[in-house]
Amino acid sequence: MHLQKTVRKKLSVQTGFTLTELLVVICLFSLLSGFFVQCFVFAMEQYQHSIALMELEDNLSSSMDWLASDLAESIAVLKCTDDELTLQTSDGKIYYTLGTDTQAKEHFYDLEGKTFYRRENTQINRQPMANFISCFRVTYYDETGNPTENASSVKIVEILLEGTWNDTVISQSQAVRLKDSDYF
């Protein structure tokens, strides 16, 4: 009989959480959720930053490879200005220029700087090689190794490409001897 009273007493007592306990749990949950959202936003920003830097470095490397290959096959430099390089090859002309990216809105990050383009005389449209270019500097040397601005006497071309993403600067430079040049 005593056992039945104990069982009935236990069944009749209502158990649950009080309003205060529920409010405390909701507050803790919202604080933790806010913290995790902040961590996620920070992680996504870091991810986008690292992706942009990797793309910049990859673009600079591939651009420098193309440029060095084209320069090695060139027989003359036809035009050399601050933002344009025109090369004469046995197959025709190759143009390198700096310009703005007309499709900048397609990237998931804002473009800063200019875009480095390459176009052969057989192509209608220019091909983007690298984004975020902050500096494209070409130094021309004659056969004696002295800097020159005379396009017909150029034997060696030294190229510097610098790209900037936020406050990070990545640079690539290379000196290339023109084809059929006896210098070096």
Side-chain angles (χ1 to χ4, degrees):
M1 178 98 162
H2 182 63
L3 181 61
Q4 284 181 336
K5 279 185 180 183
T6 308
V7 170
R8 280 188 197 157
K9 194 175 188 181
K10 291 239 183 212
L11 290 177
S12 66
V13 175
Q14 295 182 350
T15 58
F17 296 107
T18 65
L19 183 59
T20 308
E21 291 171 332
L22 285 175
L23 288 176
V24 168
V25 168
I26 290 172
C27 286
L28 288 175
F29 181 73
S30 63
L31 286 174
L32 285 174
S33 298
F35 174 73
F36 287 125
V37 166
Q38 291 281 357
C39 289
F40 179 74
V41 167
F42 179 75
M44 286 306 295
E45 288 173 355
Q46 292 299 317
Y47 174 74
Q48 288 179 348
H49 182 75
S50 64
I51 291 294
L53 286 177
M54 285 190 309
E55 180 182 336
L56 173 62
E57 192 168 355
D58 186 48
N59 287 343
L60 284 176
S61 293
S62 64
S63 297
M64 192 59 75
D65 290 345
W66 274 89
L67 193 52
S69 173
D70 289 342
L71 280 167
E73 294 298 316
S74 296
I75 53 178
V77 175
L78 301 178
K79 186 174 184 179
C80 47
T81 64
D82 288 341
D83 59 353
E84 188 174 347
L85 173 64
T86 305
L87 304 173
Q88 178 68 47
T89 64
S90 55
D91 297 334
K93 295 178 185 175
I94 299 175
Y95 306 91
Y96 283 94
T97 58
L98 275 180
T100 57
D101 190 354
T102 57
Q103 299 171 341
K105 299 298 179 202
E106 293 180 8
H107 300 286
F108 67 89
Y109 39 77
D110 295 329
L111 286 174
E112 299 170 4
K114 295 187 175 182
T115 304
F116 190 56
Y117 292 100
R118 179 185 187 274
R119 181 178 72 84
E120 295 181 30
N121 64 345
T122 58
Q123 294 174 316
I124 296 172
N125 295 324
R126 58 189 183 169
Q127 156 185 15
M129 301 296 289
N131 295 327
F132 317 116
I133 300 299
S134 57
C135 178
F136 170 57
R137 188 173 51 226
V138 182
T139 309
Y140 305 96
Y141 298 98
D142 62 12
E143 59 189 28
T144 61
N146 296 320
T148 183
E149 292 183 12
N150 182 4
S152 62
S153 66
V154 173
K155 296 295 181 185
I156 295 179
V157 179
E158 182 180 31
I159 305 120
L160 171 72
L161 278 176
E162 280 186 357
T164 304
W165 170 250
N166 290 341
D167 294 331
T168 307
V169 177
I170 299 175
S171 64
Q172 298 249 336
S173 64
Q174 189 170 7
V176 179
R177 181 171 50 105
L178 298 179
K179 186 176 183 179
D180 300 329
S181 176
D182 294 332
Y183 186 68
F184 260 107

